[in-house]
Amino acid sequence: MLIATCAAAQNGSESPNIVLIMSDDMGFSDIGCYGGEINTPNLDALAAGGLRFTQFYNTARCCPTRAALLTGMYSHQAGIGLMTGNKNLPGYRGDLGHNVLTIAEALGAGGYRCYMAGKWHVTRFTSPDGPQDNWPLQRGFDRFYGTVTGAGSFYDPATLCRGNTYITPVNDPQYQPETYYYTDAISDNAVMFLGDHAKQGPDRPFLLYVSYTAAHWPMHALPRDIAKYKGKYDGGFAPIREARLKRLKAMGIVDPGTELSPQSDDWEAVEDKAWEARNMEVYAAMIDCMDQGIGRIVAEIERQDQLDNTLIFFLQDNGGCAEGYGRYPPHKPYRTDLKPMKPDDLQTKIWPPMQTRDGRPVRVGPGVMAGPEDTFIGYGRGWANVSNTPFREYKHYSHEGGIATPLIVHWPRAIAPAQHGELVREPGHVIDIMATCVDVAGVKHPSRFGEYEILPLEGVSLRPAFSGGPLHRTDALYFEHHLNCAVRDGDWKLVRKGQLGRECKLLPWELYDMSKDRSELHDLSKKHPEKAAELSAKWESWAARANVKPWPWNIEEVD
Ligand SMILES: [Ca+2]
């Protein structure tokens, strides 16, 4: 610890504070500064005073993105190629490995104080009875408020913890708002951590990881926020998609020649238009509320006069979600014998059948108007297709609709005013965030941490881009999740889908020139078979090196 304290002292006041904000299950063009009609003035202001990356990538799903973000490694190297189930293979243990370091472990060793509010989701051990060795406090964070698992009610989140202790919204003496809503709880606790930091350790820089569950299903939002979007989506999918693409082109985020991906669903064929429009109103309200919380976090940093030397990132963990959760009638009639929960009773369910704390059944399916705590609805494929405008596919897939995310970077001290509002067009990946953090903090990414050997970082620092320079990347970027595979090498992208099932299949590779066809509509694999073969060989080599293989399934390759 003496060495760590010295490292902090050497960096002195130059080490920036770092705020890493990630949202959940949102599409490329949802927020205002990426073409969306959703009101996000606080994110837009960060973009206007900082940089936006136009080709930044996540890993297409909650757990692997978090594993890659936290460690700077491809998710399979961190043990989380899939989700949190254990397949007894190095790349698929469903639990963060000890061969990798978290950002909090690396920065904490360099003298940072590290705080986290929100969703963790990188361990298969979520029980309050342990083991807890891969929970936030055991992986480098000094304080944690949030959920260990990946989803659930916004009014009564399952696995809600303060530190290592399970709590409920009702029995937590440190946070008793008038109305409990998880997005607000994450924002408010983040602000509390910052306030306490100013009192307790103002001489040390801080890392704050804010991991929102907005706008993951269920579509839960507060009436005050939903009201702002009343009627906004009554015209259906197509007008919103067209307007978003137009704005993306005007902003220069996509090329003027970018085509719109095929429309997934026909609004005219939607039977209950009021229900579907409401789903999107609530989705927009969830994002609006998150943006308000980001505003409160930034205001607290400004209040402490720290904004100039605080590096803020905002990004999303995967594309818009086309999953069907909550969109079908219940399998069984709702129970009529439910009892109110006591203050210490834990919510154990992350999806229905479940109940509200006051003893009502949580309702699902068409006609149930999303928003309140006794509803559980997903916004569905049609709106996910809108969220991912102009791209193809969704969360889970390695096409752009699954893996493309906004990345906003704000750091007044390092990004010159002439650069403010600029776009960075070079591709980047969530593996680059850790490399950037250790670079700007001036701390080492060690080859040994305690008793463990640590793998060298895969990502590169984004810092050169902050002053308009090129990144020092020497390899392509690689992707695999659920058999959906891709490699991005310069302007070329090779991508394929997989099918999981009784017979797992790998579908043929598709090849795209991303400089002309970001929407992946014109497959060039037949025209440039040599390029496809070259990239496929690169992907195979990476897959063997990065624990993607051996696969946890028996797989047939389809030509
Ligand atoms: Ca997600």
Side-chain angles (χ1 to χ4, degrees):
M1 202 54 218
L2 187 61
I3 296 164
T5 310
C6 288
Q10 279 166 10
N11 289 316
S13 59
E14 292 305 308
S15 295
N17 305 303
I18 298 174
V19 180
L20 186 49
I21 307 170
M22 190 160 70
S23 72
D24 204 351
D25 283 24
M26 282 172 52
F28 185 72
S29 58
D30 280 324
I31 61 175
C33 52
Y34 278 79
E37 71 293 331
I38 299 171
N39 194 33
T40 55
N42 294 293
L43 285 170
D44 301 351
L46 291 176
L51 301 170
R52 276 165 297 171
F53 283 64
T54 65
Q55 301 198 75
F56 208 76
Y57 290 119
N58 53 45
T59 77
R61 199 88 182 275
C62 306
C63 303
T65 287
R66 276 150 232 279
L69 175 79
L70 282 165
T71 66
M73 307 301 296
Y74 284 110
S75 57
H76 308 72
Q77 295 169 306
I80 306 189
L82 206 52
M83 296 293 275
T84 51
N86 184 11
K87 300 282 184 186
N88 292 311
L89 286 168
Y92 305 92
R93 289 189 308 264
D95 203 27
L96 209 58
H98 283 288
N99 56 336
V100 295
L101 216 55
T102 70
I103 295 178
E105 286 169 327
L107 296 194
Y112 276 66
R113 289 276 293 171
C114 302
Y115 311 107
M116 176 180 171
K119 163 170 161 175
W120 181 240
H121 213 198
V122 286
T123 179
R124 66 176 185 273
F125 300 104
T126 60
S127 159
D129 306 322
Q132 298 184 335
D133 58 308
N134 263 329
W135 286 23
L137 295 196
Q138 286 65 251
R139 293 309 303 257
F141 288 94
D142 296 293
R143 296 181 74 184
F144 168 59
Y145 173 89
T147 41
V148 184
T149 193
S153 169
F154 284 71
Y155 301 95
D156 189 18
T159 75
L160 186 66
C161 289
R162 187 172 287 287
N164 285 328
T165 307
Y166 261 58
I167 55 170
T168 71
V170 189
N171 75 359
D172 176 17
Q174 293 188 48
Y175 184 65
Q176 284 300 317
E178 205 167 299
T179 303
Y180 185 91
Y181 178 66
Y182 190 32
T183 301
D184 280 339
I186 291 170
S187 304
D188 294 343
N189 277 276
V191 169
M192 277 164 49
F193 289 161
L194 293 180
D196 290 348
H197 177 87
K199 290 179 207 142
Q200 294 161 6
D203 53 327
R204 291 169 68 180
F206 64 80
L207 165 72
L208 174 66
Y209 174 34
V210 187
S211 178
Y212 287 105
T213 54
H216 196 294
W217 47 254
M219 300 298 106
H220 276 172
L222 299 172
R224 61 156 204 240
D225 295 321
I226 302 171
K228 297 182 203 171
Y229 296 91
K230 184 76 190 150
K232 187 116 187 161
Y233 298 105
D234 288 356
F237 311 124
I240 304 288
R241 270 164 46 90
E242 284 155 19
R244 286 185 177 200
L245 178 57
K246 201 172 163 189
R247 284 192 294 266
L248 281 166
K249 287 180 180 177
M251 289 172 174
I253 291 175
V254 299
D255 189 81
T258 303
E259 295 171 81
L260 199 52
S261 61
Q263 180 135 334
S264 67
D265 290 77
D266 177 9
W267 187 250
E268 291 313 309
V270 170
E271 278 182 31
D272 191 343
K273 291 188 174 57
W275 180 64
E276 285 293 21
R278 169 76 173 197
N279 290 335
M280 188 63 185
E281 291 170 8
V282 177
Y283 176 84
M286 294 167 84
I287 294 167
D288 189 305
C289 180
M290 174 184 74
D291 183 80
Q292 295 169 44
I294 291 169
R296 295 202 293 278
I297 292 168
V298 173
E300 174 62 21
I301 297 167
E302 234 170 346
R303 189 190 68 79
Q304 296 183 18
D305 202 18
Q306 290 287 318
L307 194 59
D308 185 54
N309 199 29
T310 298
L311 165 58
I312 303 175
F313 296 99
F314 171 83
L315 75 168
Q316 303 167 182
D317 75 334
N318 51 250
C321 172
E323 293 163 358
Y325 287 95
R327 295 183 55 79
Y328 303 98
H331 295 301
K332 288 192 277 190
Y334 298 118
R335 282 176 58 178
T336 55
D337 60 341
L338 297 168
K339 302 276 188 302
M341 295 162 73
K342 298 188 183 72
D344 293 340
D345 287 350
L346 299 175
Q347 175 60 265
T348 57
K349 304 289 188 64
I350 65 166
W351 51 53
M354 64 195 293
Q355 70 164 84
T356 61
R357 294 202 73 85
D358 61 5
R360 288 170 291 157
V362 170
R363 298 167 299 137
V364 295
V368 173
M369 297 309 246
E373 61 183 321
D374 67 332
T375 66
F376 197 103
I377 309 288
Y379 79 156
R381 189 179 63 182
W383 291 120
N385 181 224
V386 171
S387 281
N388 296 338
T389 300
F391 302 138
R392 271 177 65 197
E393 304 297 347
Y394 313 93
K395 172 182 178 180
H396 297 258
Y397 295 97
S398 295
H399 289 77
E400 296 289 280
I403 61 172
T405 171
L407 175 72
I408 300 169
V409 180
H410 186 273
W411 186 11
R413 180 169 291 186
I415 301 171
Q419 295 270 108
H420 290 184
E422 287 292 305
L423 302 173
V424 178
R425 299 185 185 282
E426 200 168 340
H429 188 288
V430 283
I431 56 172
D432 299 332
I433 300 294
M434 165 69 123
T436 310
C437 288
V438 295
D439 178 16
V440 301
V443 305
K444 274 193 171 161
H445 185 263
S447 56
R448 174 169 280 278
F449 190 75
E451 61 189 289
Y452 300 106
E453 298 272 346
I454 304 297
L455 291 169
L457 287 177
E458 289 281 349
V460 300
S461 175
L462 301 174
R463 175 149 57 172
F466 300 170
S467 49
L471 305 180
H472 305 305
R473 198 185 306 284
T474 56
D475 198 358
L477 295 171
Y478 301 95
F479 304 84
E480 192 285 328
H481 180 68
H482 264 191
L483 298 176
N484 301 303
C485 315
V487 49
R488 174 77 198 257
D489 195 6
D491 283 340
W492 291 106
K493 181 176 171 186
L494 192 73
V495 58
R496 79 195 311 180
K497 283 189 188 179
Q499 284 177 355
L500 281 185
R502 198 170 295 167
E503 291 170 15
C504 294
K505 288 181 181 165
L506 282 165
L507 303 186
W509 286 112
E510 305 156 24
L511 179 69
Y512 299 102
D513 178 352
M514 303 305 279
S515 70
K516 299 188 178 73
D517 183 20
R518 188 92 195 271
S519 306
E520 300 168 299
L521 298 173
H522 306 282
D523 177 12
L524 301 174
S525 60
K526 300 283 188 290
K527 193 175 172 193
H528 297 289
E530 73 301 331
K531 180 52 77 176
E534 175 201 326
L535 294 180
S536 161
K538 276 189 132 171
W539 187 91
E540 290 291 336
S541 163
W542 168 78
R545 174 177 78 76
N547 294 345
V548 175
K549 295 183 179 184
W551 295 107
W553 310 284
N554 292 321
I555 292 162
E556 183 192 345
E557 194 149 348
V558 181
D559 287 325

